Amino acid sequence: MRFLLFGFVLFPFFLFSQDFENTNAIDVSVFRGNIMPHTQDLGHLITDHPYGFMISFSKQTHGKKEWHRAYNFPDFGGYFMYQDYKNEFLGTNYALGAHYNFYFLNRKLQFKLAQGITYNTNPYDKVTNSKNKAFGSKLDANINLALNYKKENLIENIGFQVGLLFTHSSNGRIKSPNSGINSYVLNVGLNYNFDKKETQNNNSISDTTCYKESVKYNFVAKTGVNESPIINSGQYPFYHLGIYADKRLNRKSAIQLGTELFLTKSLKEYIKYRSISSYEEYIDPNTDYKRVGIFVGHELFINKLSIETQVGYYVYKPFKEDMDIYDRLGLKYYLTDKVFVVGGLKTHLFVAEAFEFGIGVRL
């Protein structure tokens, strides 16, 4: 499962690592900020301000392909990040992954979306580090969102950027404990263009394609493994089955409406455990573990790759411990016009439940 997770979050980097006629750049930022106390068991782990640095290697697009022009000539590439949480129990993280940079306001405002794998130096251990309830494994997923003011070529090829960065690390509850860590930090740094900036191709043949479509119907099956909140309770498979309609509005966007069934074996075992350990709450061990949700979503089309964001509500959930609202951030890659593979993180606000991997059809 860790191998699959590593491959999925890095596949955009390998996908776009061909020798395109683009220019090359690097930026280095240092950051310092705060950890969000999103669960009660993180209080003793927030003792100082985390700090670190991020190095990003980028291919700068100039309009050779249609999607370059559609997205105002974004950058794509890979990143390395180091983060010290300034806490003896949390240790430090080393992250590696892929990123996109999108530009607005005459390319002065940069939005960075980065996703990869992080290695934690001091995860939970029953004997040596029982206080680390944030990271239950050495390998975790890393998601970063940044909004920067960026100025290039201030002194020859050297420029600078400054802005806000949100970074998340967790293992998607593949192994407990898994509170995860969310940091929001101020970052500042320098950028350097290895090549002379090319003139951007704004005006090749205009794209006259009509992207609007009639309503399409999607069927998707996702799976993976996770563990209940009880440490060492065991990893069990889950199966998430969904059907939804989508309506493509334009080149970049489609909206979604659907329903899905959640069959999570670890939840079934957790109900049995709670019925014994919390007898004063009168939990029936035969409580149905199945859940049914309805959701709305948005799909952002880039090329064959797209980004999905969804928010859902459980309309059927006999076991009431988790909150009724869930959300999802994921990637979708179209193998053909009708067949796609997906992967993403399902959470309840800032608390991860599962990393999902699946396949679907769009008819």
Side-chain angles (χ1 to χ4, degrees), residues 273-284 321:
Y273 172 88
R274 288 294 307 278
S275 70
I276 299 171
S277 64
S278 303
Y279 62 90
E280 71 280 0
E281 297 182 24
Y282 304 106
I283 296 174
D284 185 349
E321 182 162 302

Side-chain angles (χ1 to χ4, degrees), residues 196-246:
K196 181 181 178 181
K197 273 282 192 177
E198 294 187 4
T199 301
Q200 292 172 339
N201 180 11
N202 287 293
N203 198 25
S204 56
I205 299 175
S206 299
D207 184 8
T208 58
T209 305
C210 179
Y211 291 94
K212 289 184 178 181
E213 297 177 344
S214 58
V215 174
K216 302 291 184 179
Y217 297 96
N218 298 257
F219 303 87
V220 62
K222 304 173 186 176
T223 189
V225 298
N226 66 357
E227 188 172 30
S228 80
I230 306 304
I231 299 170
N232 293 327
S233 58
Q235 296 172 310
Y236 294 91
F238 61 80
Y239 307 96
H240 297 170
L241 308 175
I243 177 172
Y244 63 93
D246 75 60

Side-chain angles (χ1 to χ4, degrees), residues 226 236-240 261-272 284-292 314 316-320 322 346 353:
N226 66 357
Y236 294 91
F238 61 80
Y239 307 96
H240 297 170
L261 171 67
F262 301 99
L263 304 173
T264 307
K265 185 67 180 298
S266 65
L267 180 60
K268 182 178 181 180
E269 299 301 317
Y270 182 57
I271 293 172
K272 293 179 182 178
D284 185 349
N286 297 313
T287 301
D288 191 0
Y289 73 100
K290 294 185 289 293
R291 296 168 293 172
V292 177
Y314 296 113
Y316 178 78
K317 186 172 68 77
F319 185 62
K320 303 297 184 181
D322 284 330
K346 177 177 180 279
E353 179 188 316

Side-chain angles (χ1 to χ4, degrees), residues 75-94:
D75 309 331
F76 58 87
Y79 74 92
F80 171 80
M81 186 174 73
Y82 165 83
Q83 185 169 191
D84 186 342
Y85 295 111
K86 300 293 289 182
N87 181 279
E88 61 177 314
F89 306 113
L90 286 179
T92 57
N93 273 14
Y94 298 87

Side-chain angles (χ1 to χ4, degrees), residues 29-32 50-54 81-84:
S29 295
V30 295
F31 58 79
R32 189 170 188 266
Y51 72 91
F53 65 86
M54 176 183 284
M81 186 174 73
Y82 165 83
Q83 185 169 191
D84 186 342

Side-chain angles (χ1 to χ4, degrees), residues 18-207:
Q18 307 172 48
D19 186 19
F20 295 154
E21 294 177 6
N22 301 318
T23 54
N24 301 288
I26 184 175
D27 65 76
V28 180
S29 295
V30 295
F31 58 79
R32 189 170 188 266
N34 298 283
I35 296 174
M36 296 178 61
H38 64 276
T39 64
Q40 294 180 353
D41 56 4
L42 288 180
H44 65 289
L45 300 176
I46 304 175
T47 55
D48 206 335
H49 299 285
Y51 72 91
F53 65 86
M54 176 183 284
I55 304 173
S56 299
F57 299 90
S58 299
K59 286 285 188 180
Q60 300 170 315
T61 65
H62 301 287
K64 181 180 178 181
K65 295 182 177 294
E66 181 276 333
W67 71 272
H68 301 170
R69 301 187 296 274
Y71 281 92
N72 192 30
F73 314 103
D75 309 331
F76 58 87
Y79 74 92
F80 171 80
M81 186 174 73
Y82 165 83
Q83 185 169 191
D84 186 342
Y85 295 111
K86 300 293 289 182
N87 181 279
E88 61 177 314
F89 306 113
L90 286 179
T92 57
N93 273 14
Y94 298 87
L96 184 70
H99 77 267
Y100 281 105
N101 295 328
F102 300 98
Y103 292 92
F104 309 91
L105 301 179
N106 198 27
R107 302 188 69 79
K108 297 295 191 298
L109 186 66
Q110 178 200 69
F111 173 70
K112 178 188 288 287
L113 172 63
Q115 186 172 357
I117 290 292
T118 183
Y119 174 84
N120 181 259
T121 61
N122 197 23
Y124 171 88
D125 183 90
K126 183 178 180 180
V127 176
T128 63
N129 194 20
S130 62
K131 292 186 177 182
N132 185 354
K133 298 301 177 64
F135 302 121
S137 56
K138 285 184 175 292
L139 292 181
D140 301 292
N142 175 236
I143 298 173
N144 307 290
L145 304 172
L147 191 64
N148 294 323
Y149 172 82
K150 182 177 181 180
K151 181 67 176 178
E152 297 181 302
N153 303 325
L154 275 178
I155 304 174
E156 294 185 349
N157 289 13
I158 301 175
F160 85 100
Q161 67 271 344
V162 60
L164 298 174
L165 169 68
F166 171 83
T167 176
H168 166 84
S169 295
S170 76
N171 68 24
R173 220 172 75 190
I174 291 175
K175 185 174 178 61
S176 291
N178 183 54
S179 296
I181 291 292
N182 300 293
S183 304
Y184 57 99
V185 299
L186 176 67
N187 75 100
V188 61
L190 300 176
N191 56 75
Y192 180 82
N193 293 319
F194 290 102
D195 308 301
K196 181 181 178 181
K197 273 282 192 177
E198 294 187 4
T199 301
Q200 292 172 339
N201 180 11
N202 287 293
N203 198 25
S204 56
I205 299 175
S206 299
D207 184 8

